[in-house]
mmCIF file of all heavy atoms in Angstrom:
data_model
loop_
_atom_site.group_PDB
_atom_site.id
_atom_site.type_symbol
_atom_site.label_atom_id
_atom_site.label_comp_id
_atom_site.label_asym_id
_atom_site.label_seq_id
_atom_site.Cartn_x
_atom_site.Cartn_y
_atom_site.Cartn_z
ATOM 1 N N SER A 121 -29.863 -20.629 1.613
ATOM 2 C CA SER A 121 -30.997 -19.799 1.200
ATOM 3 C C SER A 121 -30.436 -18.660 0.345
ATOM 4 O O SER A 121 -29.242 -18.351 0.426
ATOM 5 C CB SER A 121 -31.729 -19.231 2.420
ATOM 6 O OG SER A 121 -30.953 -18.205 3.022
ATOM 7 N N PRO A 122 -31.260 -18.019 -0.461
ATOM 8 C CA PRO A 122 -30.749 -16.896 -1.262
ATOM 9 C C PRO A 122 -30.063 -15.820 -0.411
ATOM 10 O O PRO A 122 -29.002 -15.323 -0.788
ATOM 11 C CB PRO A 122 -31.995 -16.360 -1.961
ATOM 12 C CG PRO A 122 -32.878 -17.566 -2.103
ATOM 13 C CD PRO A 122 -32.645 -18.348 -0.833
ATOM 14 N N LEU A 123 -30.639 -15.495 0.740
ATOM 15 C CA LEU A 123 -30.027 -14.481 1.598
ATOM 16 C C LEU A 123 -28.677 -14.963 2.134
ATOM 17 O O LEU A 123 -27.682 -14.236 2.085
ATOM 18 C CB LEU A 123 -30.965 -14.125 2.764
ATOM 19 C CG LEU A 123 -30.387 -13.123 3.775
ATOM 20 C CD1 LEU A 123 -30.089 -11.781 3.091
ATOM 21 C CD2 LEU A 123 -31.342 -12.938 4.949
ATOM 22 N N GLN A 124 -28.633 -16.200 2.635
ATOM 23 C CA GLN A 124 -27.378 -16.733 3.165
ATOM 24 C C GLN A 124 -26.316 -16.829 2.063
ATOM 25 O O GLN A 124 -25.148 -16.487 2.276
ATOM 26 C CB GLN A 124 -27.610 -18.113 3.788
ATOM 27 C CG GLN A 124 -28.417 -18.057 5.066
ATOM 28 C CD GLN A 124 -28.885 -19.429 5.522
ATOM 29 O OE1 GLN A 124 -29.141 -20.326 4.709
ATOM 30 N NE2 GLN A 124 -29.008 -19.597 6.832
ATOM 31 N N SER A 125 -26.705 -17.256 0.893
ATOM 32 C CA SER A 125 -25.755 -17.363 -0.219
ATOM 33 C C SER A 125 -25.170 -15.996 -0.567
ATOM 34 O O SER A 125 -23.966 -15.868 -0.811
ATOM 35 C CB SER A 125 -26.432 -17.964 -1.452
ATOM 36 O OG SER A 125 -26.798 -19.306 -1.214
ATOM 37 N N ASN A 126 -26.021 -14.977 -0.585
ATOM 38 C CA ASN A 126 -25.532 -13.630 -0.895
ATOM 39 C C ASN A 126 -24.616 -13.095 0.200
ATOM 40 O O ASN A 126 -23.630 -12.420 -0.086
ATOM 41 C CB ASN A 126 -26.704 -12.674 -1.144
ATOM 42 C CG ASN A 126 -27.218 -12.772 -2.553
ATOM 43 O OD1 ASN A 126 -26.589 -12.291 -3.485
ATOM 44 N ND2 ASN A 126 -28.365 -13.434 -2.718
ATOM 45 N N ILE A 127 -24.928 -13.395 1.445
ATOM 46 C CA ILE A 127 -24.080 -12.948 2.558
ATOM 47 C C ILE A 127 -22.702 -13.592 2.441
ATOM 48 O O ILE A 127 -21.674 -12.909 2.538
ATOM 49 C CB ILE A 127 -24.737 -13.264 3.922
ATOM 50 C CG1 ILE A 127 -25.934 -12.347 4.151
ATOM 51 C CG2 ILE A 127 -23.715 -13.135 5.063
ATOM 52 C CD1 ILE A 127 -26.791 -12.720 5.353
ATOM 53 N N PHE A 128 -22.647 -14.894 2.206
ATOM 54 C CA PHE A 128 -21.360 -15.571 2.138
ATOM 55 C C PHE A 128 -20.624 -15.278 0.826
ATOM 56 O O PHE A 128 -19.394 -15.252 0.792
ATOM 57 C CB PHE A 128 -21.515 -17.072 2.401
ATOM 58 C CG PHE A 128 -21.825 -17.338 3.848
ATOM 59 C CD1 PHE A 128 -23.106 -17.659 4.256
ATOM 60 C CD2 PHE A 128 -20.831 -17.202 4.819
ATOM 61 C CE1 PHE A 128 -23.395 -17.861 5.594
ATOM 62 C CE2 PHE A 128 -21.110 -17.398 6.153
ATOM 63 C CZ PHE A 128 -22.393 -17.732 6.547
ATOM 64 N N LYS A 129 -21.360 -15.023 -0.213
ATOM 65 C CA LYS A 129 -20.737 -14.571 -1.462
ATOM 66 C C LYS A 129 -20.065 -13.217 -1.215
ATOM 67 O O LYS A 129 -18.916 -13.004 -1.597
ATOM 68 C CB LYS A 129 -21.804 -14.461 -2.567
ATOM 69 C CG LYS A 129 -21.326 -13.821 -3.852
ATOM 70 C CD LYS A 129 -20.997 -14.842 -4.873
ATOM 71 C CE LYS A 129 -20.684 -14.201 -6.217
ATOM 72 N NZ LYS A 129 -19.428 -14.701 -6.736
ATOM 73 N N PHE A 130 -20.758 -12.303 -0.569
ATOM 74 C CA PHE A 130 -20.236 -10.974 -0.246
ATOM 75 C C PHE A 130 -19.016 -11.076 0.664
ATOM 76 O O PHE A 130 -18.005 -10.396 0.449
ATOM 77 C CB PHE A 130 -21.347 -10.137 0.406
ATOM 78 C CG PHE A 130 -20.974 -8.715 0.637
ATOM 79 C CD1 PHE A 130 -20.987 -7.793 -0.398
ATOM 80 C CD2 PHE A 130 -20.605 -8.288 1.903
ATOM 81 C CE1 PHE A 130 -20.641 -6.470 -0.189
ATOM 82 C CE2 PHE A 130 -20.256 -6.964 2.129
ATOM 83 C CZ PHE A 130 -20.274 -6.054 1.079
ATOM 84 N N LEU A 131 -19.068 -11.931 1.671
ATOM 85 C CA LEU A 131 -17.938 -12.136 2.580
ATOM 86 C C LEU A 131 -16.732 -12.686 1.815
ATOM 87 O O LEU A 131 -15.598 -12.231 1.999
ATOM 88 C CB LEU A 131 -18.334 -13.096 3.707
ATOM 89 C CG LEU A 131 -17.254 -13.422 4.734
ATOM 90 C CD1 LEU A 131 -16.841 -12.172 5.493
ATOM 91 C CD2 LEU A 131 -17.761 -14.484 5.703
ATOM 92 N N GLY A 132 -16.976 -13.639 0.930
ATOM 93 C CA GLY A 132 -15.895 -14.202 0.112
ATOM 94 C C GLY A 132 -15.278 -13.157 -0.798
ATOM 95 O O GLY A 132 -14.046 -13.105 -0.971
ATOM 96 N N ILE A 133 -16.117 -12.313 -1.376
ATOM 97 C CA ILE A 133 -15.618 -11.231 -2.237
ATOM 98 C C ILE A 133 -14.727 -10.301 -1.413
ATOM 99 O O ILE A 133 -13.660 -9.872 -1.870
ATOM 100 C CB ILE A 133 -16.780 -10.442 -2.882
ATOM 101 C CG1 ILE A 133 -17.481 -11.297 -3.939
ATOM 102 C CG2 ILE A 133 -16.281 -9.148 -3.503
ATOM 103 C CD1 ILE A 133 -18.780 -10.694 -4.463
ATOM 104 N N GLY A 134 -15.144 -9.988 -0.191
ATOM 105 C CA GLY A 134 -14.344 -9.111 0.673
ATOM 106 C C GLY A 134 -12.972 -9.686 0.972
ATOM 107 O O GLY A 134 -11.955 -8.984 0.853
ATOM 108 N N LEU A 135 -12.902 -10.957 1.336
ATOM 109 C CA LEU A 135 -11.608 -11.587 1.612
ATOM 110 C C LEU A 135 -10.746 -11.652 0.352
ATOM 111 O O LEU A 135 -9.545 -11.367 0.390
ATOM 112 C CB LEU A 135 -11.818 -12.994 2.177
ATOM 113 C CG LEU A 135 -12.435 -13.071 3.568
ATOM 114 C CD1 LEU A 135 -12.735 -14.516 3.952
ATOM 115 C CD2 LEU A 135 -11.514 -12.417 4.587
ATOM 116 N N ALA A 136 -11.358 -12.009 -0.758
ATOM 117 C CA ALA A 136 -10.616 -12.095 -2.016
ATOM 118 C C ALA A 136 -10.125 -10.716 -2.460
ATOM 119 O O ALA A 136 -9.051 -10.597 -3.055
ATOM 120 C CB ALA A 136 -11.494 -12.732 -3.093
ATOM 121 N N THR A 137 -10.895 -9.676 -2.173
ATOM 122 C CA THR A 137 -10.510 -8.316 -2.555
ATOM 123 C C THR A 137 -9.227 -7.886 -1.857
ATOM 124 O O THR A 137 -8.374 -7.232 -2.469
ATOM 125 C CB THR A 137 -11.650 -7.327 -2.254
ATOM 126 O OG1 THR A 137 -12.769 -7.684 -3.065
ATOM 127 C CG2 THR A 137 -11.239 -5.896 -2.545
ATOM 128 N N LEU A 138 -9.064 -8.229 -0.606
ATOM 129 C CA LEU A 138 -7.823 -7.900 0.108
ATOM 130 C C LEU A 138 -6.628 -8.547 -0.593
ATOM 131 O O LEU A 138 -5.602 -7.904 -0.819
ATOM 132 C CB LEU A 138 -7.906 -8.367 1.563
ATOM 133 C CG LEU A 138 -8.949 -7.668 2.425
ATOM 134 C CD1 LEU A 138 -9.034 -8.334 3.800
ATOM 135 C CD2 LEU A 138 -8.630 -6.193 2.555
ATOM 136 N N PHE A 139 -6.767 -9.819 -0.940
ATOM 137 C CA PHE A 139 -5.695 -10.511 -1.656
ATOM 138 C C PHE A 139 -5.452 -9.876 -3.030
ATOM 139 O O PHE A 139 -4.315 -9.643 -3.431
ATOM 140 C CB PHE A 139 -6.044 -11.997 -1.824
ATOM 141 C CG PHE A 139 -5.109 -12.696 -2.772
ATOM 142 C CD1 PHE A 139 -3.839 -13.057 -2.368
ATOM 143 C CD2 PHE A 139 -5.494 -12.960 -4.078
ATOM 144 C CE1 PHE A 139 -2.963 -13.674 -3.247
ATOM 145 C CE2 PHE A 139 -4.631 -13.575 -4.965
ATOM 146 C CZ PHE A 139 -3.356 -13.940 -4.546
ATOM 147 N N ARG A 140 -6.520 -9.588 -3.750
ATOM 148 C CA ARG A 140 -6.380 -9.026 -5.096
ATOM 149 C C ARG A 140 -5.714 -7.649 -5.070
ATOM 150 O O ARG A 140 -4.866 -7.355 -5.912
ATOM 151 C CB ARG A 140 -7.746 -8.934 -5.773
ATOM 152 C CG ARG A 140 -8.304 -10.278 -6.182
ATOM 153 C CD ARG A 140 -9.690 -10.121 -6.784
ATOM 154 N NE ARG A 140 -10.218 -11.391 -7.205
ATOM 155 C CZ ARG A 140 -11.446 -11.820 -6.933
ATOM 156 N NH1 ARG A 140 -12.283 -11.064 -6.251
ATOM 157 N NH2 ARG A 140 -11.845 -12.996 -7.364
ATOM 158 N N PHE A 141 -6.096 -6.799 -4.128
ATOM 159 C CA PHE A 141 -5.486 -5.467 -4.052
ATOM 160 C C PHE A 141 -3.977 -5.601 -3.885
ATOM 161 O O PHE A 141 -3.195 -4.980 -4.597
ATOM 162 C CB PHE A 141 -6.079 -4.640 -2.912
ATOM 163 C CG PHE A 141 -5.446 -3.280 -2.782
ATOM 164 C CD1 PHE A 141 -5.737 -2.286 -3.704
ATOM 165 C CD2 PHE A 141 -4.552 -2.999 -1.764
ATOM 166 C CE1 PHE A 141 -5.150 -1.032 -3.612
ATOM 167 C CE2 PHE A 141 -3.954 -1.747 -1.667
ATOM 168 C CZ PHE A 141 -4.259 -0.762 -2.590
#
Side-chain angles (χ1 to χ4, degrees):
S121 73
L123 177 62
Q124 290 168 329
S125 294
N126 277 286
I127 289 170
F128 288 103
K129 172 99 173 129
F130 187 78
L131 179 63
I133 289 170
L135 292 174
T137 297
L138 295 174
F139 169 77
R140 288 177 179 133
F141 178 74

